Amino acid sequence: MRLIKLIVVSLMTMSLQFTQAATLNAQQALTEAPPMSLFERWNAPIEPFEIFHHVYYVGTDNLSSILFDTGAGLVLIDSGIDQSAEQIKNSIEKLGFKITDVKYLLNSHARLDQAGGFAKLKQWSGAKLIASAENAEMLANGARTDFALGNQLPFPSVKADLIFKDGEQLKLGNQVFTAHATPGHLPGATSWTTEIHYHFKNYKVVYADSLFTGGYHLLNNKNYPQIVPDMRHTFQTLNAIHADIFLANKADRFNMKQKLARLKSGDQNAFIDPNGLQNYAAKGQMEFEQQLQEQQRLARLKTLQ
């Protein structure tokens, strides 16, 4: 009986936290959302291909969706926009799999371009959707409480089946997927790692979430007060990960097309990039600190006026 009470209290507390988090401060200016035409361009079709042993790209021209064959079912990370879902399903089938072979869907962050296709893909596959608590809230309301964008870019709502905290792991077949909390782009932003055993060697794969904060209000953000320390903690987290294969939720962030050209030319190790993650983190940190310094400079000027 006590266990049931504890569970009820825990669920009530979680519900209260979600309600509080879902209330955006009306005094906080929002960031202007990109036009839908940008996401539509990123959604241009591309043929699926094998990145590495049992790792496949099934996304679009610039919206990453990565498929892993674990030997006991498929795991899919991210889903593009709503219109991407049909492409992703077709790409999975072109590789010789069935959509019902997908057992788990993993999310990096709950915005239109990473989570818009989950509702359809979950329905078609019957897979369980895994997300952080903060992402799960936004998945459930279709990103209508986005701290930076408000309800400017809604997508079809979908329920997360499993809530993962930092360091929690999913085990399926030959694979173990580890969630890494990398907040900043969104409070629930999550990166994922796993290892591929091939030719008597383990290759670590990282799927890094976005580090982009362009247009964000970094100083005294009433909807996300911890954004600056969260971003800095995320840079530390990613720099501590040493991966052989660097992937990210936008194809251009890991030079997908250039590496694919090398792969098609016969370089089977085209996606081996041990410095890729650190280069990505360094670029992101430099841009973030420059943005923060500029906002601080403008704030100082304002106080002198």
Side-chain angles (χ1 to χ4, degrees), residues 175-241:
Q175 299 302 121
V176 176
F177 298 86
T178 303
H180 302 268
T182 49
H185 183 67
L186 277 175
T190 306
S191 299
W192 295 90
T193 57
T194 189
E195 287 190 354
I196 304 296
H197 186 72
Y198 184 58
H199 284 177
F200 307 103
K201 181 179 177 181
N202 287 329
Y203 294 84
K204 190 161 190 174
V205 180
V206 63
Y207 184 90
D209 201 358
S210 177
L211 302 175
F212 183 71
T213 57
Y216 285 9
H217 301 279
L218 301 179
L219 300 180
N220 304 313
N221 191 306
K222 296 177 178 62
N223 291 329
Y224 191 178
Q226 295 300 311
I227 185 170
V228 171
D230 273 4
M231 281 301 303
R232 286 174 172 161
H233 184 266
T234 285
F235 296 129
Q236 293 178 353
T237 297
L238 293 179
N239 275 318
I241 296 173

Side-chain angles (χ1 to χ4, degrees), residues 259-281:
K259 292 174 180 176
L260 177 58
R262 287 164 46 200
L263 183 68
K264 288 180 176 179
S265 297
D267 182 0
Q268 297 303 306
N269 292 323
F271 282 85
I272 300 295
D273 185 5
N275 297 317
L277 178 61
Q278 277 63 44
N279 291 337
Y280 174 65

Side-chain angles (χ1 to χ4, degrees), residues 56 67-76 89 91-105 121-128 172-173:
Y56 305 89
L67 187 72
F68 295 83
D69 179 10
T70 73
L74 306 176
V75 173
L76 181 72
K89 177 179 178 291
S91 291
I92 290 171
E93 292 171 349
K94 283 181 180 179
L95 292 169
F97 303 109
K98 296 181 293 184
I99 188 63
T100 51
D101 292 333
V102 180
K103 304 305 179 186
Y104 291 95
L105 303 166
L121 289 168
K122 184 182 178 185
Q123 179 184 3
W124 295 334
S125 66
K128 293 185 182 298
L172 183 67

